[in-house]
Each structure stands twice: as structure tokens, then as C-alpha cells.
Amino acid sequence: MRTRMLALTSAACGAALLGAAALPASASGSAQEPEADAGVVTAAELLAEVRACSRISKGGYRTDSGSAKATVPVCGTRDAVFWKADMDIDCDGRKTRVCNRKTDPYFLPETAFQSSRGEPLDSAALPHVVVPGPSKMWDYRKSGLTGGSVVAVVYRDRVRYGVIGDTGPTGIIGEASYAMAKALGIDPDPSTGGAESGVTYIAFKNSRVSPIESRARAQSRGAALAREFVGR
């Protein structure tokens, strides 16, 4: 849970262009499916399934606290909920070398959902997504989502899987963890990083990874749900 920053700087866009090469598996031991594997669902396949929006939110969300207009709806399908927005960087939770009060002026030592050990999540290590707190506009819980629900995030030609790990302001959308940004080739710096647009978040209904902190389980479950979602 955090106060969102104002619109990202143009420097973030330039940084997001770097990282075109696939990243190695993290030190936590999570495995990622090979890009060339015929069983891997591509970004294009997922985006084709979310071209049309059947809006389930009562209005739109802002992407930043300083945004003049609320233009982002939350959309629904039979199996998933999705939105298309920017990406701000969530560094809240466990204090690490890259996520702390010195690196992130909005740092909070807690997350809405906790690990299996009852501790805040590690945003530097766990790819996760932030959803808006429940409100009259949209309550994620009524869409079959909760902490640990599986999420596919698409940016350019990359797809990465994670979980819902935190909640944010009720009127703002478009935020993910340091680890998720890094996996997508987006600058993960909590102060200057992120992506100004072009990020698609797809949260699969009634899915849940346990323990929530398992990157490997989020990857394997996400890959399977994505195959079902595109009709494989």
C-alpha cells in the first residue's frame, strides 16, 4: 500500500527500451519457460483475447495521483479481469538493498498480503501486482481475486507471471513490484523507473498460488492458465 507518484519521467521510457534480451531466472531459484518453447503463450496471443473491454468497474481509474483524467476501466471476461495502464514501481514490504526508505521516498515496510511466514512480501524478489483497494467503483474480491491470485503481465513482446501481492489507493491503477518490472525489462527504480503506458494486466479469477511467495508456482500455474485463456 503506497501513495502513488506523479507521472513518470521521460527517462523511464528510455530505460524501458533497454532489456530486450530475456532475463535469467532469479537467484530465488524460480524457473522461467524457454521463450522458444511451443507451449509458451505469446504476448500477441494474450493481447488478442483482451482487445475488447466489457467494463466491470463503475467508471475509470487514474494512473497517477496527478492525472487529470480517470481513463482506465477494469474489464472482465468469463475467466479473467484485465486493465491496460502504466506501471509504477511498488517497493513496499520487506526492507532490502533496493527497496528501502533511501531508494523509495514512499516506502512502507508492509504489504496488504503476507508471506506464508506471516511476513511482508519481498517486492525486490517476488513479481507481484498491486490492485486498487476495494471501493464502490470496483472491489477485486467480488471478481474472484485475492492475495496470491495469479496474474499475467504483458509489456511489448514479453509475458511474465506473478501474483496479486498488495493493494493501493482506491482511485488509482497500474502498479507492480520491483521484481515484476525487472522481469519485464522495465526500469525497476522506485523513484524514477516504470513505464508510462503499454502495460496489460490479466488477473485470473478464482486462482491462487500457495505459498504466495513461490515464484516457481506462479510461473507454472500462470503458464497453464494462460494456455486455457487463449484456448489451447
Side-chain angles (χ1 to χ4, degrees):
M1 296 172 284
R2 63 177 291 176
T3 301
R4 298 289 295 280
M5 295 182 293
L6 298 180
L8 299 171
T9 64
S10 59
C13 291
L17 293 174
L18 302 176
L23 296 177
S26 76
S28 64
S30 64
Q32 301 214 7
E33 294 189 11
E35 293 286 338
D37 191 325
V40 172
V41 174
T42 66
E45 287 178 298
L46 283 172
L47 293 177
E49 296 296 321
V50 296
R51 283 178 297 187
C53 175
S54 177
R55 192 174 73 182
I56 60 174
S57 60
K58 296 178 181 179
Y61 285 89
R62 290 177 170 81
T63 56
D64 295 286
S65 59
S67 299
K69 296 181 179 180
T71 59
V72 180
V74 175
C75 312
T77 73
R78 183 186 64 181
D79 302 313
V81 169
F82 67 92
W83 57 95
K84 302 176 182 181
D86 65 342
M87 181 182 286
D88 288 338
I89 308 302
D90 183 18
C91 231
D92 294 342
R94 181 180 175 185
K95 182 179 178 181
T96 63
R97 181 182 60 82
V98 295
C99 288
N100 55 69
R101 285 192 172 89
K102 290 184 178 180
T103 60
D104 181 3
Y106 301 102
F107 176 79
L108 292 174
E110 58 192 31
T111 49
F113 306 106
Q114 298 180 322
S115 74
S116 59
R117 297 179 295 276
E119 301 171 345
L121 300 180
D122 185 347
S123 292
L126 179 66
H128 70 74
V129 166
V130 180
V131 293
S135 69
K136 292 181 179 180
M137 185 152 53
W138 179 55
D139 185 339
Y140 64 89
R141 300 170 299 186
K142 294 181 180 180
S143 294
L145 304 178
T146 187
S149 290
V150 181
V151 182
V153 185
V154 182
Y155 181 67
R156 296 181 177 170
D157 61 349
R158 287 189 172 191
V159 180
R160 296 294 182 262
Y161 300 104
V163 296
I164 291 176
D166 204 357
T167 60
T170 57
I172 298 174
I173 205 166
E175 187 174 7
S177 69
Y178 182 105
M180 178 63 81
K182 186 175 180 180
L184 287 164
I186 295 172
D187 180 1
D189 188 291
S191 294
T192 60
E196 289 187 337
S197 63
V199 184
T200 300
Y201 304 81
I202 304 171
F204 298 105
K205 296 178 179 179
N206 303 312
S207 64
R208 191 174 187 181
V209 170
S210 182
I212 190 174
E213 66 270 21
S214 175
R215 288 188 64 162
R217 292 188 182 185
Q219 166 64 30
S220 60
R221 183 64 177 140
L225 288 168
R227 286 192 290 270
E228 294 176 11
F229 189 61
V230 301
R232 287 194 184 179

